[in-house]
Short mmCIF file of all heavy atoms in Angstrom, two decimals:
data_model
loop_
_atom_site.label_atom_id
_atom_site.label_comp_id
_atom_site.label_asym_id
_atom_site.label_seq_id
_atom_site.Cartn_x
_atom_site.Cartn_y
_atom_site.Cartn_z
N VAL A 25 -27.15 21.29 17.92
CA VAL A 25 -25.79 21.05 17.37
C VAL A 25 -25.34 19.66 17.85
O VAL A 25 -25.04 19.49 19.03
CB VAL A 25 -24.81 22.14 17.84
CG1 VAL A 25 -23.40 21.82 17.31
CG2 VAL A 25 -25.27 23.50 17.37
N ARG A 26 -25.34 18.72 16.95
CA ARG A 26 -24.92 17.37 17.28
C ARG A 26 -23.42 17.19 17.00
O ARG A 26 -22.90 17.72 16.02
CB ARG A 26 -25.70 16.34 16.47
CG ARG A 26 -27.18 16.36 16.77
CD ARG A 26 -27.91 15.34 15.92
NE ARG A 26 -29.34 15.35 16.17
CZ ARG A 26 -30.22 14.56 15.54
NH1 ARG A 26 -29.75 13.72 14.61
NH2 ARG A 26 -31.50 14.63 15.82
N PRO A 27 -22.74 16.45 17.85
CA PRO A 27 -21.29 16.22 17.60
C PRO A 27 -21.10 15.41 16.32
O PRO A 27 -21.93 14.56 16.00
CB PRO A 27 -20.84 15.43 18.83
CG PRO A 27 -22.08 14.81 19.37
CD PRO A 27 -23.21 15.77 19.06
N PRO A 28 -20.05 15.70 15.56
CA PRO A 28 -19.83 14.97 14.30
C PRO A 28 -19.55 13.48 14.56
O PRO A 28 -19.01 13.11 15.58
CB PRO A 28 -18.59 15.66 13.71
CG PRO A 28 -17.90 16.27 14.88
CD PRO A 28 -18.99 16.66 15.84
N SER A 29 -19.93 12.66 13.64
CA SER A 29 -19.71 11.22 13.77
C SER A 29 -18.35 10.84 13.18
O SER A 29 -18.07 11.11 12.01
CB SER A 29 -20.82 10.45 13.04
OG SER A 29 -20.53 9.06 13.04
N TYR A 30 -17.51 10.26 14.04
CA TYR A 30 -16.19 9.81 13.58
C TYR A 30 -16.13 8.29 13.43
O TYR A 30 -15.07 7.72 13.18
CB TYR A 30 -15.11 10.26 14.57
CG TYR A 30 -15.04 11.76 14.72
CD1 TYR A 30 -15.45 12.38 15.89
CD2 TYR A 30 -14.56 12.54 13.68
CE1 TYR A 30 -15.39 13.76 16.04
CE2 TYR A 30 -14.50 13.93 13.81
CZ TYR A 30 -14.91 14.53 15.00
OH TYR A 30 -14.85 15.89 15.11
N GLU A 31 -17.26 7.63 13.61
CA GLU A 31 -17.27 6.18 13.52
C GLU A 31 -16.88 5.73 12.11
O GLU A 31 -17.42 6.22 11.13
CB GLU A 31 -18.66 5.63 13.87
CG GLU A 31 -19.05 5.82 15.33
CD GLU A 31 -20.40 5.21 15.63
OE1 GLU A 31 -20.92 4.53 14.73
OE2 GLU A 31 -20.91 5.41 16.74
N GLY A 32 -15.93 4.78 12.06
CA GLY A 32 -15.49 4.24 10.77
C GLY A 32 -14.40 5.05 10.10
O GLY A 32 -13.82 4.60 9.11
N THR A 33 -14.13 6.24 10.63
CA THR A 33 -13.11 7.08 9.99
C THR A 33 -11.75 6.40 10.02
O THR A 33 -11.05 6.31 9.01
CB THR A 33 -13.03 8.45 10.68
OG1 THR A 33 -14.31 9.07 10.66
CG2 THR A 33 -12.02 9.34 9.99
N VAL A 34 -11.37 5.95 11.21
CA VAL A 34 -10.06 5.30 11.36
C VAL A 34 -10.04 3.98 10.58
O VAL A 34 -9.03 3.65 9.94
CB VAL A 34 -9.75 5.06 12.84
CG1 VAL A 34 -8.43 4.29 12.99
CG2 VAL A 34 -9.66 6.38 13.59
N VAL A 35 -11.14 3.23 10.64
CA VAL A 35 -11.18 1.95 9.94
C VAL A 35 -11.03 2.15 8.44
O VAL A 35 -10.27 1.46 7.76
CB VAL A 35 -12.50 1.21 10.26
CG1 VAL A 35 -12.61 -0.06 9.40
CG2 VAL A 35 -12.56 0.86 11.74
N ARG A 36 -11.79 3.15 7.90
CA ARG A 36 -11.69 3.42 6.47
C ARG A 36 -10.29 3.89 6.09
O ARG A 36 -9.74 3.49 5.06
CB ARG A 36 -12.73 4.48 6.06
CG ARG A 36 -14.16 3.98 6.06
CD ARG A 36 -15.08 4.98 5.37
NE ARG A 36 -15.08 6.27 6.04
CZ ARG A 36 -15.88 6.61 7.07
NH1 ARG A 36 -16.74 5.70 7.53
NH2 ARG A 36 -15.82 7.80 7.60
N ALA A 37 -9.72 4.75 6.93
CA ALA A 37 -8.37 5.24 6.64
C ALA A 37 -7.36 4.10 6.69
O ALA A 37 -6.44 4.02 5.87
CB ALA A 37 -7.98 6.33 7.65
N ALA A 38 -7.53 3.20 7.68
CA ALA A 38 -6.61 2.07 7.80
C ALA A 38 -6.74 1.13 6.61
O ALA A 38 -5.74 0.63 6.10
CB ALA A 38 -6.87 1.32 9.09
N ALA A 39 -7.98 0.90 6.17
CA ALA A 39 -8.20 0.03 5.01
C ALA A 39 -7.59 0.64 3.75
O ALA A 39 -6.95 -0.06 2.95
CB ALA A 39 -9.69 -0.20 4.81
N GLN A 40 -7.79 1.95 3.60
CA GLN A 40 -7.21 2.63 2.44
C GLN A 40 -5.69 2.59 2.50
O GLN A 40 -5.02 2.37 1.48
CB GLN A 40 -7.70 4.08 2.39
CG GLN A 40 -7.21 4.84 1.16
CD GLN A 40 -7.76 6.26 1.14
OE1 GLN A 40 -8.53 6.65 1.99
NE2 GLN A 40 -7.33 7.02 0.14
N LEU A 41 -5.14 2.80 3.72
CA LEU A 41 -3.69 2.75 3.88
C LEU A 41 -3.16 1.35 3.58
O LEU A 41 -2.11 1.19 2.94
CB LEU A 41 -3.32 3.17 5.31
CG LEU A 41 -1.83 3.10 5.67
CD1 LEU A 41 -1.02 4.04 4.78
CD2 LEU A 41 -1.61 3.42 7.13
N GLU A 42 -3.90 0.34 4.04
CA GLU A 42 -3.48 -1.04 3.80
C GLU A 42 -3.41 -1.33 2.30
O GLU A 42 -2.46 -1.94 1.82
CB GLU A 42 -4.45 -2.00 4.47
CG GLU A 42 -4.06 -3.47 4.31
CD GLU A 42 -5.06 -4.40 4.97
OE1 GLU A 42 -6.07 -3.91 5.51
OE2 GLU A 42 -4.82 -5.62 4.94
N GLU A 43 -4.41 -0.87 1.57
CA GLU A 43 -4.43 -1.08 0.12
C GLU A 43 -3.28 -0.33 -0.55
O GLU A 43 -2.61 -0.86 -1.44
CB GLU A 43 -5.77 -0.61 -0.45
CG GLU A 43 -5.89 -0.75 -1.96
CD GLU A 43 -5.83 -2.20 -2.44
OE1 GLU A 43 -6.03 -3.11 -1.60
OE2 GLU A 43 -5.60 -2.41 -3.64
N THR A 44 -3.05 0.89 -0.08
CA THR A 44 -1.94 1.68 -0.64
C THR A 44 -0.61 1.00 -0.37
O THR A 44 0.26 0.91 -1.25
CB THR A 44 -1.94 3.10 -0.04
OG1 THR A 44 -3.20 3.73 -0.31
CG2 THR A 44 -0.81 3.93 -0.62
N LEU A 45 -0.44 0.52 0.87
CA LEU A 45 0.80 -0.15 1.23
C LEU A 45 0.98 -1.45 0.46
O LEU A 45 2.10 -1.80 0.06
CB LEU A 45 0.83 -0.43 2.74
CG LEU A 45 0.91 0.78 3.66
CD1 LEU A 45 0.92 0.33 5.11
CD2 LEU A 45 2.14 1.61 3.36
N ARG A 46 -0.10 -2.15 0.25
CA ARG A 46 -0.02 -3.40 -0.50
C ARG A 46 0.47 -3.14 -1.93
O ARG A 46 1.36 -3.84 -2.43
CB ARG A 46 -1.38 -4.08 -0.53
CG ARG A 46 -1.37 -5.48 -1.15
CD ARG A 46 -2.78 -6.02 -1.27
NE ARG A 46 -3.56 -5.24 -2.21
CZ ARG A 46 -3.49 -5.38 -3.53
NH1 ARG A 46 -2.64 -6.25 -4.07
NH2 ARG A 46 -4.23 -4.64 -4.32
N LYS A 47 -0.12 -2.12 -2.57
CA LYS A 47 0.29 -1.79 -3.93
C LYS A 47 1.73 -1.30 -3.97
O LYS A 47 2.51 -1.68 -4.85
CB LYS A 47 -0.64 -0.72 -4.51
CG LYS A 47 -2.05 -1.20 -4.77
CD LYS A 47 -2.91 -0.09 -5.35
CE LYS A 47 -4.34 -0.58 -5.63
NZ LYS A 47 -5.19 0.51 -6.17
N LEU A 48 2.08 -0.47 -2.98
CA LEU A 48 3.44 0.06 -2.93
C LEU A 48 4.44 -1.05 -2.66
O LEU A 48 5.50 -1.11 -3.30
CB LEU A 48 3.54 1.13 -1.83
CG LEU A 48 4.92 1.76 -1.61
CD1 LEU A 48 5.37 2.48 -2.88
CD2 LEU A 48 4.88 2.72 -0.44
N MET A 49 4.08 -1.94 -1.73
CA MET A 49 4.97 -3.05 -1.40
C MET A 49 5.17 -3.95 -2.62
O MET A 49 6.30 -4.36 -2.92
CB MET A 49 4.37 -3.86 -0.25
CG MET A 49 5.31 -4.88 0.36
SD MET A 49 6.61 -4.08 1.31
CE MET A 49 7.44 -5.51 1.98
N LYS A 50 4.10 -4.24 -3.31
CA LYS A 50 4.17 -5.08 -4.49
C LYS A 50 5.05 -4.42 -5.55
O LYS A 50 5.90 -5.08 -6.18
CB LYS A 50 2.77 -5.32 -5.04
CG LYS A 50 2.73 -6.24 -6.25
CD LYS A 50 1.29 -6.47 -6.70
CE LYS A 50 1.24 -7.38 -7.91
NZ LYS A 50 -0.15 -7.59 -8.38
N LYS A 51 4.88 -3.13 -5.74
CA LYS A 51 5.66 -2.40 -6.74
C LYS A 51 7.14 -2.42 -6.38
O LYS A 51 8.00 -2.69 -7.22
CB LYS A 51 5.15 -0.96 -6.84
CG LYS A 51 5.86 -0.11 -7.90
CD LYS A 51 5.21 1.26 -8.00
CE LYS A 51 5.86 2.08 -9.10
NZ LYS A 51 7.27 2.38 -8.86
N LYS A 52 7.45 -2.14 -5.10
CA LYS A 52 8.84 -2.11 -4.67
C LYS A 52 9.49 -3.49 -4.77
O LYS A 52 10.66 -3.62 -5.16
CB LYS A 52 8.94 -1.58 -3.24
CG LYS A 52 8.59 -0.10 -3.10
CD LYS A 52 9.59 0.76 -3.84
CE LYS A 52 9.27 2.25 -3.67
NZ LYS A 52 10.23 3.09 -4.43
N LEU A 53 8.73 -4.52 -4.40
CA LEU A 53 9.27 -5.88 -4.46
C LEU A 53 9.55 -6.28 -5.90
O LEU A 53 10.57 -6.90 -6.20
CB LEU A 53 8.30 -6.87 -3.81
CG LEU A 53 8.20 -6.80 -2.28
CD1 LEU A 53 7.13 -7.75 -1.78
CD2 LEU A 53 9.54 -7.13 -1.64
N PHE A 54 8.64 -5.92 -6.82
CA PHE A 54 8.86 -6.23 -8.22
C PHE A 54 10.05 -5.45 -8.78
O PHE A 54 10.81 -5.96 -9.60
CB PHE A 54 7.60 -5.93 -9.04
CG PHE A 54 6.59 -7.05 -9.01
CD1 PHE A 54 5.26 -6.80 -8.81
CD2 PHE A 54 7.00 -8.36 -9.21
CE1 PHE A 54 4.33 -7.83 -8.79
CE2 PHE A 54 6.08 -9.40 -9.18
CZ PHE A 54 4.74 -9.14 -8.98
N GLU A 55 10.18 -4.21 -8.33
CA GLU A 55 11.34 -3.42 -8.77
C GLU A 55 12.64 -4.08 -8.31
O GLU A 55 13.61 -4.16 -9.07
CB GLU A 55 11.24 -1.99 -8.23
CG GLU A 55 10.18 -1.14 -8.91
CD GLU A 55 10.06 0.24 -8.29
OE1 GLU A 55 10.68 0.47 -7.24
OE2 GLU A 55 9.34 1.09 -8.85
N ALA A 56 12.65 -4.52 -7.05
CA ALA A 56 13.84 -5.20 -6.52
C ALA A 56 14.10 -6.50 -7.25
O ALA A 56 15.25 -6.85 -7.57
CB ALA A 56 13.67 -5.45 -5.03
N GLU A 57 13.02 -7.26 -7.52
CA GLU A 57 13.16 -8.53 -8.23
C GLU A 57 13.68 -8.30 -9.64
O GLU A 57 14.58 -9.01 -10.12
CB GLU A 57 11.80 -9.24 -8.27
CG GLU A 57 11.74 -10.46 -9.18
CD GLU A 57 12.60 -11.61 -8.69
OE1 GLU A 57 13.09 -11.56 -7.55
OE2 GLU A 57 12.80 -12.57 -9.47
N LEU A 58 13.14 -7.29 -10.32
CA LEU A 58 13.58 -6.99 -11.68
C LEU A 58 15.05 -6.58 -11.69
O LEU A 58 15.83 -7.00 -12.55
CB LEU A 58 12.72 -5.89 -12.29
CG LEU A 58 13.02 -5.53 -13.74
CD1 LEU A 58 12.85 -6.74 -14.64
CD2 LEU A 58 12.12 -4.39 -14.21
N LYS A 59 15.44 -5.77 -10.70
CA LYS A 59 16.83 -5.35 -10.60
C LYS A 59 17.74 -6.55 -10.36
O LYS A 59 18.87 -6.61 -10.87
CB LYS A 59 16.99 -4.33 -9.47
CG LYS A 59 18.37 -3.68 -9.41
CD LYS A 59 18.45 -2.70 -8.27
CE LYS A 59 17.50 -1.54 -8.44
NZ LYS A 59 17.66 -0.54 -7.35
N ARG A 60 17.25 -7.52 -9.59
CA ARG A 60 18.05 -8.71 -9.31
C ARG A 60 18.29 -9.52 -10.58
O ARG A 60 19.42 -9.96 -10.82
CB ARG A 60 17.35 -9.58 -8.27
CG ARG A 60 18.13 -10.83 -7.87
CD ARG A 60 17.32 -11.73 -6.97
NE ARG A 60 16.21 -12.36 -7.65
CZ ARG A 60 16.33 -13.46 -8.39
NH1 ARG A 60 17.51 -14.05 -8.53
NH2 ARG A 60 15.28 -13.98 -8.98
N VAL A 61 17.25 -9.75 -11.37
CA VAL A 61 17.41 -10.60 -12.55
C VAL A 61 18.16 -9.87 -13.66
O VAL A 61 18.80 -10.50 -14.50
CB VAL A 61 16.05 -11.11 -13.06
CG1 VAL A 61 15.36 -11.92 -11.98
CG2 VAL A 61 15.15 -9.98 -13.54
N GLN A 62 18.10 -8.53 -13.66
CA GLN A 62 18.78 -7.78 -14.72
C GLN A 62 20.29 -7.90 -14.64
O GLN A 62 20.98 -7.62 -15.62
CB GLN A 62 18.36 -6.30 -14.68
CG GLN A 62 16.98 -6.07 -15.27
CD GLN A 62 16.52 -4.62 -15.14
OE1 GLN A 62 16.94 -3.90 -14.23
NE2 GLN A 62 15.65 -4.20 -16.03
N GLN A 63 20.80 -8.33 -13.50
CA GLN A 63 22.25 -8.52 -13.38
C GLN A 63 22.73 -9.71 -14.20
O GLN A 63 23.93 -9.89 -14.42
CB GLN A 63 22.66 -8.69 -11.92
CG GLN A 63 22.13 -9.95 -11.27
CD GLN A 63 22.58 -10.10 -9.82
OE1 GLN A 63 23.70 -9.76 -9.47
NE2 GLN A 63 21.69 -10.59 -8.98
N TYR A 64 21.80 -10.55 -14.67
CA TYR A 64 22.16 -11.70 -15.50
C TYR A 64 21.92 -11.42 -16.98
O TYR A 64 21.81 -12.35 -17.79
CB TYR A 64 21.33 -12.93 -15.08
CG TYR A 64 21.55 -13.34 -13.65
CD1 TYR A 64 20.61 -13.04 -12.65
CD2 TYR A 64 22.69 -14.02 -13.26
CE1 TYR A 64 20.81 -13.42 -11.33
CE2 TYR A 64 22.90 -14.40 -11.95
CZ TYR A 64 21.95 -14.09 -10.99
OH TYR A 64 22.16 -14.47 -9.68
N ALA A 65 21.86 -10.13 -17.34
CA ALA A 65 21.55 -9.75 -18.72
C ALA A 65 22.62 -10.26 -19.69
O ALA A 65 23.82 -10.23 -19.41
CB ALA A 65 21.43 -8.24 -18.82
#
């Protein structure tokens, strides 16, 4: 019975989280930007 390998688990999770945050941040920033310019409609 060998112990399970956890190597790379945190790194992969962090990379996935970083990508998710990047997309979410970009989406939220664009939403805020769009809301800002819409006040000049």
Side-chain angles (χ1 to χ4, degrees):
V25 177
R26 297 179 181 178
S29 173
Y30 299 109
E31 292 182 8
T33 303
V34 176
V35 174
R36 288 192 300 273
Q40 184 178 357
L41 177 62
E42 182 181 3
E43 179 64 18
T44 302
L45 293 180
R46 187 186 66 80
K47 291 180 179 179
L48 178 62
M49 191 72 175
K50 183 178 180 181
K51 183 175 183 297
K52 291 295 182 182
L53 288 175
F54 276 134
E55 287 177 352
E57 170 67 11
L58 183 59
K59 188 180 296 184
R60 182 187 70 82
V61 301
Q62 283 176 333
Q63 66 179 322
Y64 299 103

